[in-house]
Amino acid sequence: MVCHHRHHHHHHCCHHSTWMYDTGKDGFIDLMELKLMMEKLGAPQTHLGLKNMIREVDEDFDGKLSFREFLLIFRRAAAGELQEESGLMALARLSEINVSTEGVLGAKDFFEAKVQALSVGSRFEAEIREEKEERKRQDVEKKQRQAAFKQLQSTFCS
């Protein structure tokens, strides 16, 4: 049960993470973005593999994936039309959108989140940086307080 809970949390994060890869911020995933995405998902693909992934669902032959084409990956996975070893199957499994349960809406959130997630990503990093700075500052203050306290002690005790 605990495991399931953790898994669920992971699923939630996925909504944002997978779609950080639209670095061109154009609402599409191109080859490089797909490459980055698959590496982050822990299933890196060869250049050829990536091309094949896109070609398999690229209905308008523009060499990148639109939301509709992205959905097609999950439809085909659900219908058992994808080869077990294919990159698309790995993507479908790893990004954990089950279109039949989440419905198109869930997938659409997921897709749109990717378009915004780049700025979220850098904002997140900025927050982490600030947090580190804050912690450093607190450490320094604590040391100063301790030093002041020691000085105070020596004044009283001498």
Side-chain angles (χ1 to χ4, degrees):
M1 192 61 209
V2 175
C3 176
H4 176 73
H5 185 72
R6 202 179 73 227
H7 179 77
H8 199 73
H9 173 71
H10 173 67
H11 173 89
H12 189 67
C13 299
C14 262
H15 266 20
H16 297 293
S17 63
T18 307
W19 288 114
M20 279 187 203
Y21 309 114
D22 177 22
T23 45
K25 290 214 177 68
D26 53 3
F28 291 93
I29 296 182
D30 64 21
L31 189 86
M32 285 314 291
E33 290 162 356
L34 185 63
K35 177 179 187 296
L36 183 66
M37 184 161 113
M38 293 308 288
E39 282 167 8
K40 285 281 199 309
L41 287 171
Q45 302 292 313
T46 61
H47 189 74
L48 192 66
L50 292 162
K51 274 183 136 151
N52 288 338
M53 282 172 72
I54 290 177
R55 194 163 55 225
E56 230 178 295
V57 287
D58 185 11
E59 292 179 317
D60 53 6
F61 307 110
D62 60 357
K64 52 191 181 185
L65 299 181
S66 66
F67 174 62
R68 228 169 68 89
E69 292 161 348
F70 177 73
L71 264 189
L72 198 58
I73 299 171
F74 296 97
R75 292 234 175 83
R76 294 182 60 177
E81 292 171 11
L82 296 179
Q83 286 158 358
E84 199 49 45
E85 283 79 53
S86 75
L88 291 180
M89 195 67 200
L91 172 60
R93 206 179 287 121
L94 290 165
S95 50
E96 290 174 344
I97 286 192
N98 186 334
V99 171
S100 57
T101 57
E102 288 258 352
V104 170
L105 205 64
K108 189 153 178 61
D109 288 347
F110 182 70
F111 192 84
E112 281 169 357
K114 105 184 199 303
V115 181
Q116 300 159 8
L118 220 74
S119 54
V120 172
S122 49
R123 196 164 66 226
F124 181 65
E125 279 159 27
E127 274 172 29
I128 289 177
R129 251 200 317 277
E130 277 168 34
E131 217 171 278
K132 278 189 184 145
E133 292 298 315
E134 177 64 26
R135 217 171 295 147
K136 219 184 296 177
R137 210 168 44 239
Q138 284 172 351
D139 275 355
V140 169
E141 281 173 16
K142 201 164 93 183
K143 285 197 182 78
Q144 285 171 343
R145 270 201 306 275
Q146 283 169 343
F149 184 68
K150 279 205 184 77
Q151 232 171 349
L152 200 66
Q153 268 183 327
S154 63
T155 315
F156 272 114
C157 300
S158 58

